[in-house]
Amino acid sequence: MQLKKLLKIYFIILALALAFGGCADSEEPENIEIPEESEVIIEEAEEFTEDYYDRLFMDEVVIDEVKRENIFSALTDIKMNTEFIKDFKMVESTEEGEKYSFTYRDTNFTVIMESDSEITSVKVGEDGADVYLKGYEAYDAEDYIFTESMKDGMKHMVDNAVEVSLDYPENFEYAGDWSFRHEENFYYISVTVLTGTEKTAHPLSLTCYYDAPENCMYWYRLVVDGKEISIPIDFDVIEKAERQQISD
């Protein structure tokens, strides 16, 4: 029971860091007084539609206006604030269609476009979840991003998992690339841990669950060296609803 309380307190602190880590990009600007002589410029700018400026992230990568509109529509369907899209570029062009990639709040996404300029999907990375999927309800992109501040918080959780599962090694380090994935309330992290002077390798994967009502992050599943480690916390997880098709 004491371990459960300690873990819960520890995860509350981390959950707060995760909950507020993604908010740094959305701070409200300070009020700025506009001199009277600027009123004419503002009136002229109103001739442009609001999304005209939002579409500028495509720059010269997408010239065709229909393609621009379709990409912009798909991204707004998944509630992306296009102001935070970076490095938008084409990565493939064939007779079957085109593929684009970009970064949104530290997370990579891929846009798949058919030959008729319709968007098939917008997925996390190259082969992750389809946040936007043609013919189905759109998901919220915010439920799939993994910002740098979130990654830092999750790395601390992995440190704790290493200590508990590998009997508190005197020294350890991480080898290779970290793997991060976030789908709604689940967070998936994988890495290889090297322990001791001989640097023995231990593949480790940790799945965490964010309990929104409690504002707590819990270990859900921990696997080390291919073996699942027992988690001393039980809770009910709400299963994800089946994705709904939408009518044309």
Side-chain angles (χ1 to χ4, degrees):
M1 182 61 69
Q2 185 66 22
L3 175 60
K4 178 176 179 179
K5 290 182 178 178
L6 289 175
L7 287 174
K8 187 168 185 179
I9 292 172
Y10 182 72
F11 295 155
I12 288 175
I13 297 173
L14 291 174
L16 289 173
L18 289 171
F20 294 102
C23 299
D25 293 330
S26 56
E27 294 179 359
E28 294 185 1
E30 298 179 358
N31 292 329
I32 301 176
E33 292 186 3
I34 302 175
E36 294 183 358
E37 56 267 24
S38 299
E39 292 180 357
V40 175
I41 298 176
I42 293 174
E43 291 177 357
E44 292 178 355
E46 289 177 352
E47 295 178 4
F48 296 103
T49 58
E50 182 179 352
D51 63 0
Y52 171 82
Y53 296 99
D54 290 329
R55 291 200 305 272
L56 293 181
F57 69 86
M58 288 182 259
D59 195 31
E60 298 302 316
V61 178
V62 184
I63 305 299
D64 184 274
E65 190 62 22
V66 173
K67 293 180 180 180
R68 279 177 173 263
E69 291 290 349
N70 289 345
I71 293 173
F72 180 78
S73 177
L75 298 184
T76 52
D77 278 354
I78 58 178
K79 300 180 182 179
M80 277 191 176
N81 182 343
T82 55
E83 178 183 351
F84 300 123
I85 289 178
K86 299 178 181 179
D87 302 323
F88 190 90
K89 58 187 177 183
M90 179 186 288
V91 293
E92 184 178 302
S93 179
T94 65
E95 293 183 357
E96 287 74 29
E98 298 172 352
K99 182 185 296 184
Y100 302 87
S101 69
F102 65 90
T103 300
Y104 179 73
R105 295 186 59 207
D106 301 329
T107 301
N108 296 322
F109 285 86
T110 302
V111 176
I112 309 297
M113 178 184 289
E114 296 177 337
S115 58
D116 61 0
S117 300
E118 289 291 320
I119 305 301
T120 302
S121 71
V122 179
K123 58 180 57 190
V124 182
E126 294 185 5
D127 55 4
D130 292 299
V131 186
Y132 175 91
L133 183 62
K134 182 180 177 182
Y136 290 84
E137 63 175 331
Y139 290 157
D140 190 338
E142 202 69 21
D143 290 335
Y144 294 84
I145 63 173
F146 228 130
T147 65
E148 289 302 323
S149 59
M150 293 167 69
K151 291 178 182 179
D152 289 340
M154 299 307 294
K155 286 180 178 179
H156 285 299
M157 297 185 78
V158 172
D159 286 343
N160 189 253
V162 170
E163 293 174 350
V164 172
S165 64
L166 296 177
D167 197 23
Y168 300 90
E170 292 185 4
N171 56 75
F172 62 87
E173 59 186 80
Y174 299 110
D177 296 330
W178 289 74
S179 173
F180 297 94
R181 188 161 57 91
H182 170 203
E183 292 191 20
E184 295 189 336
N185 289 341
F186 284 95
Y187 295 76
Y188 306 86
I189 313 97
S190 297
V191 69
T192 298
V193 185
L194 304 179
T195 60
T197 56
E198 297 182 355
K199 299 187 181 301
T200 304
H202 303 276
L204 179 149
S205 63
L206 175 64
T207 302
C208 297
Y209 178 79
Y210 176 60
D211 187 339
E214 294 291 332
N215 195 26
C216 292
M217 181 76 74
Y218 297 100
W219 290 0
Y220 180 72
R221 187 168 186 260
L222 174 61
V223 178
V224 182
D225 295 331
K227 299 178 181 179
E228 185 165 353
I229 308 299
S230 177
I231 305 298
I233 298 177
D234 295 322
F235 57 93
D236 295 327
V237 176
I238 300 175
E239 294 186 6
K240 184 175 179 180
E242 185 177 350
R243 195 166 196 164
Q244 299 298 309
Q245 288 186 292
I246 56 177
S247 57
D248 296 331

